[in-house]
Amino acid sequence: MDKMRRFRYTCSMNIRETMKCAIFDMDGTLLDSMWMWRTLGEEIIRTHGKTPAKNVWYDLKVLNSTETAQYFKDNYGFSESVENIIEEIDDTALRHYSTDLPLKPGAMELLQRLAELHVPAILATATDKRLVRACLHRLGIEKYFFRLNSCEDFDTSKSQPLIFQKSAEMAGVPVQNAVVFEDSLYAIRTAHNAGFPVVAVYDTSAEDLSEPPETDWRRIVPLADITCAHPGQILPLLR
């Protein structure tokens, strides 16, 4: 909260003139969901009647789903098979996406404004499409997206610019006019290095020290053309 009270957005781009398409990340950018991923492991551990270790998230965030399931077996004595634990993880995440994860302030209004301006919006996400579609349907915003692209579609990750490049190509827009909206340091760095204009949306996860000694947000700010506390701060720039 203190961080958000101190937040000031920065802007070095005329986004109204520059943006011919908008490429959106979902989690942490449009959707207030990073808290769920941070607490998902604890939730599942408690469901099994166990007490999670402090900061278990830091152990889990570098693991894939198979490694996470094995971690639960090795460290918390889960008796289920790895396959069944993975299914439980997926089902728990799906329940959250289907029922309670909210949009960030101004996200709906920003998508509506882009539609009014006839600027195509493309979702470019690393999240499983089953979760994405369930969430977008519940929130009523799927109609605002020209395309829904996932990293899985291109066998890539956001450590590489392919998903951003493919999204711009699908919209028929050159890189310099395809504005990427992101919250994570590694994805913002990828888009910036590939020549995309970047709007960095603040998320509390940006207070992480993935590359000490500076927080992720301090590293993000010089890479972004615009920084904002939430998507709604972009609306006055689109009048």
Side-chain angles (χ1 to χ4, degrees), residues 201-215:
V201 180
Y202 178 82
D203 189 82
T204 54
S205 60
E207 296 303 316
D208 283 350
L209 288 166
S210 62
E211 298 176 11
E214 294 183 316
T215 64

Side-chain angles (χ1 to χ4, degrees), residues 33-203:
S33 54
M34 295 308 295
W35 64 267
M36 186 277 295
W37 288 111
R38 285 172 172 266
T39 60
L40 184 64
E42 296 179 16
E43 179 180 352
I44 290 171
I45 291 167
R46 289 194 174 97
T47 297
H48 285 254
K50 312 287 186 178
T51 300
K54 186 178 180 180
N55 294 328
V56 67
W57 156 251
Y58 291 99
D59 290 337
L60 296 177
K61 70 177 184 176
V62 298
L63 306 180
N64 62 31
S65 57
T66 300
E67 292 167 340
T68 298
Q70 191 61 54
Y71 176 93
F72 288 149
K73 289 176 70 68
D74 294 342
N75 292 275
Y76 292 94
F78 284 22
S79 59
E80 294 81 2
S81 67
V82 166
E83 292 74 17
N84 285 345
I85 296 171
I86 292 172
E87 184 177 353
E88 181 181 359
I89 295 168
D90 291 344
D91 288 346
T92 304
L94 179 60
R95 174 171 54 80
H96 284 293
Y97 277 85
S98 301
T99 61
D100 56 37
L101 295 178
L103 286 171
K104 286 196 165 183
M108 174 74 82
E109 293 79 3
L110 177 57
L111 292 171
Q112 291 170 338
R113 181 58 178 150
L114 293 178
E116 292 169 358
L117 294 172
H118 305 290
V119 174
I122 297 175
L123 196 69
T125 179
T127 304
D128 187 288
K129 272 191 171 179
R130 183 175 69 137
L131 306 182
V132 172
R133 292 191 183 281
C135 190
L136 298 189
H137 177 74
R138 171 176 60 85
L139 294 169
I141 61 173
E142 192 169 9
K143 63 186 176 182
Y144 292 114
F145 292 101
F146 170 66
R147 288 291 299 262
L148 305 180
N149 291 331
S150 74
C151 289
E152 186 178 6
D153 292 334
F154 309 109
D155 190 26
T156 190
S157 75
K158 289 186 178 179
S159 295
Q160 302 296 325
L162 183 62
I163 190 170
F164 302 127
Q165 292 166 339
K166 287 291 187 181
S167 296
E169 182 182 319
M170 289 172 181
V173 171
V175 164
Q176 61 267 27
N177 296 116
V179 177
V180 171
F181 291 74
E182 271 282 358
D183 69 294
S184 63
L185 172 59
Y186 83 104
I188 287 169
R189 181 178 285 145
T190 297
H192 171 80
N193 288 343
F196 288 87
V198 175
V199 174
V201 180
Y202 178 82
D203 189 82

